[in-house]
Amino acid sequence: MYKRKVLLAVMTILVLGQSVYSQKTLTKDERMAWWREAKFGMFIHWGIYAQFAGVYKGHEQLRGGAEWIMNRSKIPVAEYQEMAKSFNPVKYDPDAWVRMAKDAGMKYLIITAKHHDGFALFNSKASKWDVTDATAYGKDLLKPLAAACKKYGIKLGFYYSQAQDWNNPGGSAARKEMREGWLNPDSAKIDAYTAANKGHWDPAQMTRTFDQYIDEVSVPQVKELMTNYGDIAVLWWDTPTNMTDEAALKLQAALKTQPHIITNDRLKRPNFPGDTKTPEQKIPTQAELDGMDWETCMTMNGTWGFRTSDHKWKSTETLIRNLCDIASKGGNYLLNVGPKPDGTFPQESTDRLAAIGKWMKVNSESIYGTKSSPLAALDWGRCTRKETAKGTTLYFSVFNWPSDGQLLIPGVKNKVLSATLLATKVKLNTDNKAGELIIKVPGQAPDAVASVIKVEFEGVVAHQTDTKPKKEMKTGALD
């Protein structure tokens, strides 16, 4: 009987192990396959800062994203936590959020499970500073979001601020001068205090050590995120302020139950490069590309978190052309939404997502699963590439439609098998003169933003660009 019980226990462990750990260790290329295919994802920045919306006691935050208001305006811990008590997003509809992402053509979604203010959008046993214990809402926000992502086939990822935490004692704080928040008459005194206390402005932030914070909050919360929400595709670290290699190793170990997970380059530099580089609010130049996987994260307006005064909305044209540009350089586009305190998306975000989705319904073939352009820069648009059994397919996203009905592509000598306008499925005639491909197009562009022409070539289209980087890719603010 005893031997049978032991055998059953061992078999149970093996079965559970196979469900938690992959039976086959995946290579990086295997782990990255879906991500490289996806090209387009949604970033969501949401938390208590949405209630402030960039304003503290009548003072507009003077610099930085609204999600930084606690730090930049030096809001005391007790006061910030008091604001959380009224956080009650009764209009939160995760099903609608995920449907909007899917309809926009996005393939994955990454949400701020915990931003720098330390507020967890999930039920955490490691801290009472979470949505279930500290707010009027009292329910885990990530559980239904994970269910909606599974329902619609959207990959789910979590942003997690591993080092900076302005509410859980022991967390680090990047030092910001008082003038970045508001013109407090006590600025000199406050700035002297933060300089002497590693960026902290409230004694309540320093009742534990950084090592205690890592062991008691950060690592346990990452384990919760990795075990309570199903398959997690991405863990998006941010700002390794005061991070140590020892802490980074502990956090890496906390991911072991998700062996397929993809991580970025912000855990701890330079010894923990992760899988993806993260240029922030910018698209790398051709000279910065080094063959590594990368993802531009970008806001639709000027801030990540919701801010009532920020009306600097990028046009749909800019957002679609950014997507084309990023895909043409082999990257992914992680486009942000900052939900309002009630749980709804700003109307401006909703409108832009719908417009992008309309374009993607026609032209997504030119984005999904493509590789970087082999051609020199094109002044009239962008190019993406797919390698096929027949040879090479190039997709030309035309921003500036030729007035003379001839689109010129220099340096391509391969035989053209077919040329098709994606919007209308109309076949186009081509010619090749003196090493210059000429595509004869209709007088009017089918899409004023970006009209895509699909051209299938025989053989491999030779690279015209220098594949060696000339300078290092700038991967975004670390504060």
Side-chain angles (χ1 to χ4, degrees), residues 34-35 41-45 97-98 107-114 121-122 142 145-146 149-150 154-160 225-226 229-237 258 261-263 295 334:
W34 74 262
W35 189 93
M42 177 182 283
F43 217 180
I44 299 176
H45 278 68
W97 282 17
V98 178
K107 296 290 189 178
Y108 59 108
L109 182 154
I110 297 171
I111 187 169
T112 52
K114 190 196 81 166
L121 300 186
F122 56 99
L142 301 186
L145 185 67
C149 284
K150 185 175 182 180
I154 298 295
K155 297 279 189 180
L156 175 64
F158 293 139
Y159 167 115
Y160 187 82
L225 291 171
M226 295 300 102
Y229 301 92
D231 292 333
I232 306 304
V234 177
L235 197 292
W236 215 97
W237 308 112
Q258 300 279 348
I261 203 163
I262 292 167
T263 62
E295 171 187 70
L334 187 61

Side-chain angles (χ1 to χ4, degrees), residues 52-72:
F52 288 93
V55 181
Y56 176 58
K57 292 187 175 179
H59 300 283
E60 280 282 347
Q61 182 180 325
L62 296 176
R63 188 177 182 277
E67 68 286 349
W68 274 80
I69 193 166
M70 184 183 180
N71 186 319
R72 286 194 157 96

Side-chain angles (χ1 to χ4, degrees), residues 181-253:
W182 59 284
L183 302 179
N184 190 323
D186 293 327
S187 291
K189 181 179 176 182
I190 293 167
D191 286 344
Y193 186 90
T194 60
N197 291 282
K198 296 183 178 180
H200 298 106
W201 59 93
D202 187 333
Q205 297 168 318
M206 298 177 285
T207 59
R208 308 291 280 172
T209 66
F210 181 72
D211 287 343
Q212 286 174 317
Y213 160 76
I214 290 292
D215 291 341
E216 296 169 9
V217 178
S218 194
V219 169
Q221 285 191 335
V222 171
K223 288 180 178 178
E224 289 172 337
L225 291 171
M226 295 300 102
T227 55
N228 296 338
Y229 301 92
D231 292 333
I232 306 304
V234 177
L235 197 292
W236 215 97
W237 308 112
D238 200 19
T239 67
T241 308
N242 295 338
M243 274 293 286
T244 63
D245 284 359
E246 182 184 15
L249 287 169
K250 290 177 180 178
L251 287 160
Q252 272 194 337

Side-chain angles (χ1 to χ4, degrees), residues 339-378:
K340 296 191 286 187
D342 66 1
T344 61
F345 285 1
Q347 189 60 47
E348 294 88 346
S349 295
T350 301
D351 292 344
R352 282 157 179 76
L353 290 171
I356 295 169
K358 184 178 178 181
W359 185 88
M360 285 289 279
K361 279 181 174 64
V362 175
N363 302 294
S364 62
E365 183 183 339
S366 68
I367 303 296
Y368 299 145
T370 59
K371 296 182 180 180
S372 59
S373 171
L375 309 182
L378 302 166

Side-chain angles (χ1 to χ4, degrees), residues 4-236:
R4 185 181 176 190
K5 285 183 177 179
V6 170
L7 181 60
L8 284 171
V10 171
M11 289 177 66
T12 301
I13 290 169
L14 288 172
V15 169
L16 287 173
Q18 287 175 355
S19 66
V20 173
Y21 300 100
S22 174
Q23 294 180 39
K24 172 179 176 287
T25 301
L26 298 186
T27 65
K28 180 178 178 179
D29 284 344
E30 288 172 329
R31 284 189 298 110
M32 295 298 295
W34 74 262
W35 189 93
R36 292 169 180 164
E37 167 77 24
K39 294 298 175 186
F40 192 26
M42 177 182 283
F43 217 180
I44 299 176
H45 278 68
W46 196 34
I48 301 305
Y49 44 81
Q51 290 178 276
F52 288 93
V55 181
Y56 176 58
K57 292 187 175 179
H59 300 283
E60 280 282 347
Q61 182 180 325
L62 296 176
R63 188 177 182 277
E67 68 286 349
W68 274 80
I69 193 166
M70 184 183 180
N71 186 319
R72 286 194 157 96
S73 295
K74 304 297 180 276
I75 303 172
V77 168
E79 191 174 334
Y80 196 85
Q81 291 189 2
E82 186 66 27
M83 177 68 93
K85 292 178 181 178
S86 59
F87 183 68
N88 193 20
V90 293
K91 294 183 180 179
Y92 174 52
D93 184 351
D95 196 271
W97 282 17
V98 178
R99 273 189 285 112
M100 277 190 275
K102 187 177 181 69
D103 290 347
M106 293 161 161
K107 296 290 189 178
Y108 59 108
L109 182 154
I110 297 171
I111 187 169
T112 52
K114 190 196 81 166
H115 205 270
H116 306 325
D117 65 356
F119 177 72
L121 300 186
F122 56 99
N123 184 14
S124 176
K125 290 182 172 62
S127 171
K128 293 294 185 183
W129 180 233
D130 68 358
V131 67
T132 56
D133 295 300
T135 76
Y137 190 71
K139 291 178 286 187
D140 191 313
L141 294 163
L142 301 186
K143 284 273 188 185
L145 185 67
C149 284
K150 185 175 182 180
K151 174 182 174 181
Y152 292 106
I154 298 295
K155 297 279 189 180
L156 175 64
F158 293 139
Y159 167 115
Y160 187 82
S161 177
Q162 73 277 15
Q164 284 208 78
D165 190 318
W166 310 323
N167 273 278
N168 287 297
S172 62
R175 183 173 180 256
K176 302 296 178 185
E177 292 187 348
M178 188 68 242
R179 60 186 172 84
E180 296 191 15
W182 59 284
L183 302 179
N184 190 323
D186 293 327
S187 291
K189 181 179 176 182
I190 293 167
D191 286 344
Y193 186 90
T194 60
N197 291 282
K198 296 183 178 180
H200 298 106
W201 59 93
D202 187 333
Q205 297 168 318
M206 298 177 285
T207 59
R208 308 291 280 172
T209 66
F210 181 72
D211 287 343
Q212 286 174 317
Y213 160 76
I214 290 292
D215 291 341
E216 296 169 9
V217 178
S218 194
V219 169
Q221 285 191 335
V222 171
K223 288 180 178 178
E224 289 172 337
L225 291 171
M226 295 300 102
T227 55
N228 296 338
Y229 301 92
D231 292 333
I232 306 304
V234 177
L235 197 292
W236 215 97

Side-chain angles (χ1 to χ4, degrees), residues 375 394 396 409-414 416 432 435-437 457 461-462 464:
L375 309 182
L394 297 183
F396 298 105
I409 297 119
V412 181
K413 300 176 181 178
N414 299 58
V416 174
N432 203 313
E436 192 166 62
L437 176 64
F457 295 93
V461 174
Q464 301 174 10

